[in-house]
Amino acid sequence: MFILEAPYVSDFLKQTIADRKAPVLANEMAIRHFGPDAPFLCTDDDFVARSGQGLPVYSNSENAIDWINTHLGTTGLPDTIGVFKDKIRFRELIRDMHPGYVFKGVDFAELEHLDPSAFPKPFIIKPAVGFFSLGVHKVDSDEDWPRVLEAITNEVSRIRSQYPDQVVCLDRFIVEECIQGEEFAVDVYFDHKGEPVILNILGHLFASADDVSDRVYLTSPTIIRTWLDRFTAYLGEMGSRAHLSHFPAHVELRVDKEGHIIPIEVNPMRFAGWCVADLTFHAWGFNPYTYYLDGNKPDWESILAEHEGQAVGVLVADVAADVDCASITRIDYTSLAARFSNPLELRRIDVHEYPVFAFLFARVPENDLREFRELLHSDLKEFLTIART
């Protein structure tokens, strides 16, 4: 069953639902995309009754959490979601898996009194309930703290106007040790036995050591082969602590230079946000949504053999922080797509609603990531026409 919510529903997800005639909650978003008379739309009561029969639930967005908390309390989902959405509760859950890891919860109102010298450098500060790198900052020194505090304060009102508290809550922050190493994002579901089934692993590329953006993610046979078994074992331990079953998640991890796996966060009830989970189909040819709903497991050995030497990634074309989105009068999507020799899909996003103007999926040689790396270091202003003030 599906719950559709803002900010984005892809054509691929819509087609998946239509082909299966899968039950969908008849909320505003579903009616907008399918019309009020679609036969697979469910009333609140019908959806609750079906979920009580043990049917797996998937939402494309954590904006659905408020409805789940209100209507699906008897399923246990609200408490499980809460463990992962609250990064402080999550750290407590896995504390003994990572002895010595430093973290602390701080109320937003108390940030101005925070003593940065009390934490090892560098450290990360971010909303305890967050999404999409919103409000995430790295502090490299005590002297850096006033600048970061000012940036957080300026961001609060903007973020609150774009996302509900269930997705990004800015009343409480977590200060935690900065995890050094490679970063990965894993789309996984936990089956009826609680065993993790990994559907994709994305490497997160950064422009520099100080970069905390979500600009580029990509997957390849080498990434899957290198990390599949290790991440599966780690997620199995994590999932057993939270008693997970019939549960999809998007998990962000880092691996330090000693090979230790440390989770950054777990995003519940969905795979990669903004339907970036569709990248799994672009890269590997199977549908991640139906695999979860049907309890299927990828035959990675045969899948990877068919895609040797290839990598598939997504460019998140965000708007530079010094650009007022309201001042953008034109976006050159044609030139953006032309920067890739094998673009697969270009999604146009309303830049006046969100500070992102496109998601671009592309295939590149696994041993040559230049097309992604060049734009990783760009402010992307070359694709924007900005009105003069």
Side-chain angles (χ1 to χ4, degrees), residues 77-110:
L77 277 177
D79 186 62
T80 302
I81 290 170
V83 168
F84 294 118
K85 280 306 298 176
D86 186 328
K87 295 178 177 62
I88 299 169
R89 286 183 67 188
F90 174 56
R91 289 291 175 207
E92 294 288 353
L93 176 73
I94 61 170
R95 180 190 289 272
D96 64 337
M97 293 175 66
H98 305 281
Y101 186 80
V102 178
F103 67 94
K104 181 180 181 179
V106 182
D107 290 342
F108 172 68
E110 299 299 319

mmCIF file of all heavy atoms in Angstrom, residues 77-110:
data_model
loop_
_atom_site.group_PDB
_atom_site.id
_atom_site.type_symbol
_atom_site.label_atom_id
_atom_site.label_comp_id
_atom_site.label_asym_id
_atom_site.label_seq_id
_atom_site.Cartn_x
_atom_site.Cartn_y
_atom_site.Cartn_z
ATOM 1 N N LEU A 77 3.920 1.255 14.042
ATOM 2 C CA LEU A 77 4.752 2.065 13.152
ATOM 3 C C LEU A 77 5.148 3.417 13.752
ATOM 4 O O LEU A 77 6.308 3.832 13.613
ATOM 5 C CB LEU A 77 4.047 2.275 11.813
ATOM 6 C CG LEU A 77 4.180 1.168 10.772
ATOM 7 C CD1 LEU A 77 3.360 1.509 9.532
ATOM 8 C CD2 LEU A 77 5.634 0.941 10.392
ATOM 9 N N PRO A 78 4.238 4.148 14.408
ATOM 10 C CA PRO A 78 4.637 5.460 14.922
ATOM 11 C C PRO A 78 5.838 5.408 15.862
ATOM 12 O O PRO A 78 6.749 6.245 15.763
ATOM 13 C CB PRO A 78 3.377 5.949 15.650
ATOM 14 C CG PRO A 78 2.257 5.312 14.899
ATOM 15 C CD PRO A 78 2.783 3.938 14.561
ATOM 16 N N ASP A 79 5.885 4.431 16.757
ATOM 17 C CA ASP A 79 7.015 4.363 17.684
ATOM 18 C C ASP A 79 8.295 3.977 16.958
ATOM 19 O O ASP A 79 9.370 4.536 17.238
ATOM 20 C CB ASP A 79 6.735 3.368 18.803
ATOM 21 C CG ASP A 79 7.836 3.397 19.855
ATOM 22 O OD1 ASP A 79 8.025 4.462 20.470
ATOM 23 O OD2 ASP A 79 8.518 2.373 20.041
ATOM 24 N N THR A 80 8.191 3.038 16.015
ATOM 25 C CA THR A 80 9.388 2.643 15.255
ATOM 26 C C THR A 80 9.917 3.816 14.442
ATOM 27 O O THR A 80 11.128 4.059 14.398
ATOM 28 C CB THR A 80 9.056 1.470 14.320
ATOM 29 O OG1 THR A 80 8.568 0.374 15.094
ATOM 30 C CG2 THR A 80 10.294 1.025 13.561
ATOM 31 N N ILE A 81 9.013 4.535 13.794
ATOM 32 C CA ILE A 81 9.423 5.718 13.034
ATOM 33 C C ILE A 81 10.095 6.727 13.952
ATOM 34 O O ILE A 81 11.125 7.324 13.614
ATOM 35 C CB ILE A 81 8.205 6.340 12.333
ATOM 36 C CG1 ILE A 81 7.723 5.432 11.204
ATOM 37 C CG2 ILE A 81 8.536 7.733 11.788
ATOM 38 C CD1 ILE A 81 6.393 5.846 10.607
ATOM 39 N N GLY A 82 9.524 6.920 15.135
ATOM 40 C CA GLY A 82 10.072 7.896 16.065
ATOM 41 C C GLY A 82 11.487 7.586 16.491
ATOM 42 O O GLY A 82 12.299 8.501 16.696
ATOM 43 N N VAL A 83 11.813 6.318 16.624
ATOM 44 C CA VAL A 83 13.176 5.932 16.999
ATOM 45 C C VAL A 83 14.186 6.437 15.976
ATOM 46 O O VAL A 83 15.279 6.903 16.325
ATOM 47 C CB VAL A 83 13.291 4.400 17.135
ATOM 48 C CG1 VAL A 83 14.751 3.970 17.240
ATOM 49 C CG2 VAL A 83 12.508 3.919 18.343
ATOM 50 N N PHE A 84 13.813 6.386 14.696
ATOM 51 C CA PHE A 84 14.746 6.761 13.648
ATOM 52 C C PHE A 84 14.683 8.245 13.289
ATOM 53 O O PHE A 84 15.693 8.853 12.947
ATOM 54 C CB PHE A 84 14.505 5.909 12.403
ATOM 55 C CG PHE A 84 14.817 4.464 12.614
ATOM 56 C CD1 PHE A 84 13.840 3.483 12.494
ATOM 57 C CD2 PHE A 84 16.095 4.061 12.959
ATOM 58 C CE1 PHE A 84 14.136 2.153 12.695
ATOM 59 C CE2 PHE A 84 16.402 2.730 13.183
ATOM 60 C CZ PHE A 84 15.419 1.768 13.043
ATOM 61 N N LYS A 85 13.492 8.840 13.347
ATOM 62 C CA LYS A 85 13.392 10.257 13.016
ATOM 63 C C LYS A 85 14.106 11.119 14.047
ATOM 64 O O LYS A 85 14.675 12.168 13.711
ATOM 65 C CB LYS A 85 11.925 10.677 12.903
ATOM 66 C CG LYS A 85 11.264 10.318 11.603
ATOM 67 C CD LYS A 85 12.033 10.839 10.381
ATOM 68 C CE LYS A 85 12.134 12.358 10.329
ATOM 69 N NZ LYS A 85 12.967 12.822 9.188
ATOM 70 N N ASP A 86 14.073 10.721 15.293
ATOM 71 C CA ASP A 86 14.775 11.463 16.341
ATOM 72 C C ASP A 86 16.206 10.916 16.423
ATOM 73 O O ASP A 86 16.435 9.819 16.923
ATOM 74 C CB ASP A 86 14.059 11.301 17.680
ATOM 75 C CG ASP A 86 14.658 12.175 18.772
ATOM 76 O OD1 ASP A 86 15.876 12.421 18.739
ATOM 77 O OD2 ASP A 86 13.900 12.607 19.651
ATOM 78 N N LYS A 87 17.151 11.685 15.914
ATOM 79 C CA LYS A 87 18.533 11.190 15.833
ATOM 80 C C LYS A 87 19.132 10.937 17.202
ATOM 81 O O LYS A 87 20.062 10.130 17.343
ATOM 82 C CB LYS A 87 19.382 12.187 15.032
ATOM 83 C CG LYS A 87 18.953 12.311 13.581
ATOM 84 C CD LYS A 87 19.789 13.337 12.842
ATOM 85 C CE LYS A 87 19.386 13.397 11.369
ATOM 86 N NZ LYS A 87 17.989 13.815 11.171
ATOM 87 N N ILE A 88 18.618 11.598 18.220
ATOM 88 C CA ILE A 88 19.131 11.355 19.569
ATOM 89 C C ILE A 88 18.658 9.993 20.060
ATOM 90 O O ILE A 88 19.451 9.201 20.605
ATOM 91 C CB ILE A 88 18.678 12.479 20.515
ATOM 92 C CG1 ILE A 88 19.230 13.828 20.021
ATOM 93 C CG2 ILE A 88 19.156 12.197 21.947
ATOM 94 C CD1 ILE A 88 18.636 15.024 20.718
ATOM 95 N N ARG A 89 17.377 9.675 19.863
ATOM 96 C CA ARG A 89 16.879 8.344 20.224
ATOM 97 C C ARG A 89 17.613 7.255 19.444
ATOM 98 O O ARG A 89 17.941 6.190 19.989
ATOM 99 C CB ARG A 89 15.385 8.236 19.942
ATOM 100 C CG ARG A 89 14.488 8.975 20.913
ATOM 101 C CD ARG A 89 13.025 8.741 20.578
ATOM 102 N NE ARG A 89 12.634 7.337 20.797
ATOM 103 C CZ ARG A 89 11.459 6.846 20.445
ATOM 104 N NH1 ARG A 89 10.552 7.621 19.837
ATOM 105 N NH2 ARG A 89 11.170 5.572 20.674
ATOM 106 N N PHE A 90 17.895 7.521 18.182
ATOM 107 C CA PHE A 90 18.589 6.539 17.356
ATOM 108 C C PHE A 90 19.997 6.286 17.885
ATOM 109 O O PHE A 90 20.438 5.136 17.983
ATOM 110 C CB PHE A 90 18.639 7.027 15.912
ATOM 111 C CG PHE A 90 19.462 6.153 15.004
ATOM 112 C CD1 PHE A 90 19.197 4.800 14.874
ATOM 113 C CD2 PHE A 90 20.515 6.694 14.271
ATOM 114 C CE1 PHE A 90 19.950 3.996 14.042
ATOM 115 C CE2 PHE A 90 21.275 5.895 13.441
ATOM 116 C CZ PHE A 90 20.999 4.546 13.324
ATOM 117 N N ARG A 91 20.703 7.347 18.245
ATOM 118 C CA ARG A 91 22.056 7.170 18.796
ATOM 119 C C ARG A 91 22.010 6.356 20.087
ATOM 120 O O ARG A 91 22.902 5.543 20.353
ATOM 121 C CB ARG A 91 22.707 8.527 19.039
ATOM 122 C CG ARG A 91 23.090 9.270 17.775
ATOM 123 C CD ARG A 91 24.227 8.601 17.062
ATOM 124 N NE ARG A 91 24.527 9.249 15.791
ATOM 125 C CZ ARG A 91 25.071 8.651 14.749
ATOM 126 N NH1 ARG A 91 25.369 7.352 14.825
ATOM 127 N NH2 ARG A 91 25.320 9.297 13.638
ATOM 128 N N GLU A 92 20.975 6.581 20.879
ATOM 129 C CA GLU A 92 20.836 5.799 22.109
ATOM 130 C C GLU A 92 20.605 4.324 21.794
ATOM 131 O O GLU A 92 21.120 3.443 22.480
ATOM 132 C CB GLU A 92 19.676 6.345 22.947
ATOM 133 C CG GLU A 92 19.894 7.752 23.503
ATOM 134 C CD GLU A 92 20.908 7.789 24.626
ATOM 135 O OE1 GLU A 92 21.350 6.713 25.079
ATOM 136 O OE2 GLU A 92 21.259 8.901 25.063
ATOM 137 N N LEU A 93 19.842 4.035 20.744
ATOM 138 C CA LEU A 93 19.547 2.659 20.351
ATOM 139 C C LEU A 93 20.815 1.880 20.030
ATOM 140 O O LEU A 93 20.942 0.697 20.369
ATOM 141 C CB LEU A 93 18.608 2.652 19.140
ATOM 142 C CG LEU A 93 18.263 1.286 18.535
ATOM 143 C CD1 LEU A 93 17.299 0.541 19.450
ATOM 144 C CD2 LEU A 93 17.670 1.442 17.138
ATOM 145 N N ILE A 94 21.759 2.531 19.353
ATOM 146 C CA ILE A 94 22.962 1.825 18.901
ATOM 147 C C ILE A 94 24.204 2.227 19.680
ATOM 148 O O ILE A 94 25.323 1.954 19.238
ATOM 149 C CB ILE A 94 23.190 2.071 17.391
ATOM 150 C CG1 ILE A 94 23.391 3.566 17.114
ATOM 151 C CG2 ILE A 94 22.026 1.515 16.573
ATOM 152 C CD1 ILE A 94 23.853 3.878 15.709
ATOM 153 N N ARG A 95 24.026 2.852 20.835
ATOM 154 C CA ARG A 95 25.165 3.374 21.588
ATOM 155 C C ARG A 95 26.235 2.317 21.827
ATOM 156 O O ARG A 95 27.432 2.554 21.628
ATOM 157 C CB ARG A 95 24.693 3.946 22.931
ATOM 158 C CG ARG A 95 25.827 4.522 23.777
ATOM 159 C CD ARG A 95 25.347 4.852 25.188
ATOM 160 N NE ARG A 95 24.458 5.990 25.217
ATOM 161 C CZ ARG A 95 24.871 7.251 25.339
ATOM 162 N NH1 ARG A 95 26.172 7.516 25.433
ATOM 163 N NH2 ARG A 95 24.003 8.236 25.375
ATOM 164 N N ASP A 96 25.836 1.118 22.268
ATOM 165 C CA ASP A 96 26.843 0.110 22.601
ATOM 166 C C ASP A 96 27.467 -0.538 21.368
ATOM 167 O O ASP A 96 28.451 -1.277 21.490
ATOM 168 C CB ASP A 96 26.271 -0.953 23.535
ATOM 169 C CG ASP A 96 25.145 -1.750 22.900
ATOM 170 O OD1 ASP A 96 24.509 -1.240 21.957
ATOM 171 O OD2 ASP A 96 24.909 -2.889 23.331
ATOM 172 N N MET A 97 26.925 -0.283 20.179
ATOM 173 C CA MET A 97 27.572 -0.742 18.957
ATOM 174 C C MET A 97 28.747 0.155 18.593
ATOM 175 O O MET A 97 29.620 -0.242 17.815
ATOM 176 C CB MET A 97 26.565 -0.760 17.795
ATOM 177 C CG MET A 97 25.453 -1.784 17.942
ATOM 178 S SD MET A 97 24.207 -1.659 16.624
ATOM 179 C CE MET A 97 25.163 -2.130 15.164
ATOM 180 N N HIS A 98 28.759 1.371 19.174
ATOM 181 C CA HIS A 98 29.802 2.351 18.860
ATOM 182 C C HIS A 98 30.275 3.023 20.141
ATOM 183 O O HIS A 98 30.047 4.214 20.361
ATOM 184 C CB HIS A 98 29.272 3.395 17.869
ATOM 185 C CG HIS A 98 28.711 2.803 16.622
ATOM 186 N ND1 HIS A 98 29.515 2.358 15.593
ATOM 187 C CD2 HIS A 98 27.430 2.543 16.243
ATOM 188 C CE1 HIS A 98 28.738 1.864 14.633
ATOM 189 N NE2 HIS A 98 27.489 1.963 15.005
ATOM 190 N N PRO A 99 30.932 2.255 21.027
ATOM 191 C CA PRO A 99 31.375 2.825 22.303
ATOM 192 C C PRO A 99 32.356 3.978 22.076
ATOM 193 O O PRO A 99 33.212 3.940 21.198
ATOM 194 C CB PRO A 99 32.059 1.636 22.995
ATOM 195 C CG PRO A 99 32.406 0.684 21.893
ATOM 196 C CD PRO A 99 31.337 0.842 20.865
ATOM 197 N N GLY A 100 32.188 5.034 22.857
ATOM 198 C CA GLY A 100 33.080 6.184 22.733
ATOM 199 C C GLY A 100 32.605 7.237 21.752
ATOM 200 O O GLY A 100 33.191 8.318 21.676
ATOM 201 N N TYR A 101 31.531 6.951 21.006
ATOM 202 C CA TYR A 101 31.036 7.934 20.051
ATOM 203 C C TYR A 101 30.374 9.086 20.808
ATOM 204 O O TYR A 101 29.532 8.873 21.679
ATOM 205 C CB TYR A 101 30.042 7.281 19.093
ATOM 206 C CG TYR A 101 29.581 8.198 17.987
ATOM 207 C CD1 TYR A 101 30.384 8.403 16.867
ATOM 208 C CD2 TYR A 101 28.375 8.891 18.075
ATOM 209 C CE1 TYR A 101 29.982 9.265 15.863
ATOM 210 C CE2 TYR A 101 27.963 9.734 17.072
ATOM 211 C CZ TYR A 101 28.773 9.925 15.969
ATOM 212 O OH TYR A 101 28.378 10.772 14.975
ATOM 213 N N VAL A 102 30.760 10.321 20.475
ATOM 214 C CA VAL A 102 30.325 11.496 21.226
ATOM 215 C C VAL A 102 29.126 12.154 20.555
ATOM 216 O O VAL A 102 29.162 12.467 19.366
ATOM 217 C CB VAL A 102 31.472 12.521 21.339
ATOM 218 C CG1 VAL A 102 31.002 13.770 22.072
ATOM 219 C CG2 VAL A 102 32.669 11.895 22.047
ATOM 220 N N PHE A 103 28.041 12.369 21.314
ATOM 221 C CA PHE A 103 26.880 13.116 20.817
ATOM 222 C C PHE A 103 26.124 13.720 21.990
ATOM 223 O O PHE A 103 26.223 13.262 23.120
ATOM 224 C CB PHE A 103 25.947 12.212 19.995
ATOM 225 C CG PHE A 103 25.265 11.132 20.786
ATOM 226 C CD1 PHE A 103 23.998 11.334 21.307
ATOM 227 C CD2 PHE A 103 25.890 9.907 21.017
ATOM 228 C CE1 PHE A 103 23.357 10.338 22.046
ATOM 229 C CE2 PHE A 103 25.258 8.908 21.750
ATOM 230 C CZ PHE A 103 23.991 9.125 22.261
ATOM 231 N N LYS A 104 25.360 14.774 21.686
ATOM 232 C CA LYS A 104 24.582 15.433 22.728
ATOM 233 C C LYS A 104 23.405 16.162 22.083
ATOM 234 O O LYS A 104 23.543 16.780 21.027
ATOM 235 C CB LYS A 104 25.439 16.440 23.498
ATOM 236 C CG LYS A 104 24.695 17.161 24.615
ATOM 237 C CD LYS A 104 25.594 18.142 25.336
ATOM 238 C CE LYS A 104 24.815 18.842 26.470
ATOM 239 N NZ LYS A 104 25.683 19.800 27.199
ATOM 240 N N GLY A 105 22.232 16.106 22.723
ATOM 241 C CA GLY A 105 21.072 16.848 22.269
ATOM 242 C C GLY A 105 21.053 18.240 22.884
ATOM 243 O O GLY A 105 21.363 18.403 24.068
ATOM 244 N N VAL A 106 20.702 19.251 22.076
ATOM 245 C CA VAL A 106 20.680 20.636 22.541
ATOM 246 C C VAL A 106 19.423 21.320 22.005
ATOM 247 O O VAL A 106 19.144 21.245 20.801
ATOM 248 C CB VAL A 106 21.923 21.426 22.068
ATOM 249 C CG1 VAL A 106 21.886 22.853 22.616
ATOM 250 C CG2 VAL A 106 23.208 20.731 22.482
ATOM 251 N N ASP A 107 18.666 21.997 22.860
ATOM 252 C CA ASP A 107 17.509 22.762 22.407
ATOM 253 C C ASP A 107 17.977 23.956 21.574
ATOM 254 O O ASP A 107 19.016 24.575 21.871
ATOM 255 C CB ASP A 107 16.696 23.269 23.599
ATOM 256 C CG ASP A 107 15.975 22.155 24.334
ATOM 257 O OD1 ASP A 107 15.817 21.070 23.737
ATOM 258 O OD2 ASP A 107 15.604 22.359 25.502
ATOM 259 N N PHE A 108 17.173 24.301 20.560
ATOM 260 C CA PHE A 108 17.525 25.437 19.706
ATOM 261 C C PHE A 108 17.716 26.706 20.530
ATOM 262 O O PHE A 108 18.641 27.496 20.302
ATOM 263 C CB PHE A 108 16.436 25.656 18.648
ATOM 264 C CG PHE A 108 16.619 26.908 17.838
ATOM 265 C CD1 PHE A 108 17.683 27.038 16.949
ATOM 266 C CD2 PHE A 108 15.727 27.966 17.975
ATOM 267 C CE1 PHE A 108 17.852 28.190 16.203
ATOM 268 C CE2 PHE A 108 15.888 29.123 17.230
ATOM 269 C CZ PHE A 108 16.958 29.235 16.342
ATOM 270 N N ALA A 109 16.861 26.901 21.514
ATOM 271 C CA ALA A 109 16.935 28.103 22.342
ATOM 272 C C ALA A 109 18.234 28.185 23.141
ATOM 273 O O ALA A 109 18.630 29.278 23.585
ATOM 274 C CB ALA A 109 15.731 28.164 23.285
ATOM 275 N N GLU A 110 18.906 27.039 23.321
ATOM 276 C CA GLU A 110 20.135 27.009 24.114
ATOM 277 C C GLU A 110 21.402 27.046 23.254
ATOM 278 O O GLU A 110 22.512 27.050 23.802
ATOM 279 C CB GLU A 110 20.152 25.745 24.989
ATOM 280 C CG GLU A 110 19.004 25.670 25.988
ATOM 281 C CD GLU A 110 19.026 26.832 26.969
ATOM 282 O OE1 GLU A 110 20.136 27.196 27.421
ATOM 283 O OE2 GLU A 110 17.940 27.379 27.258
#
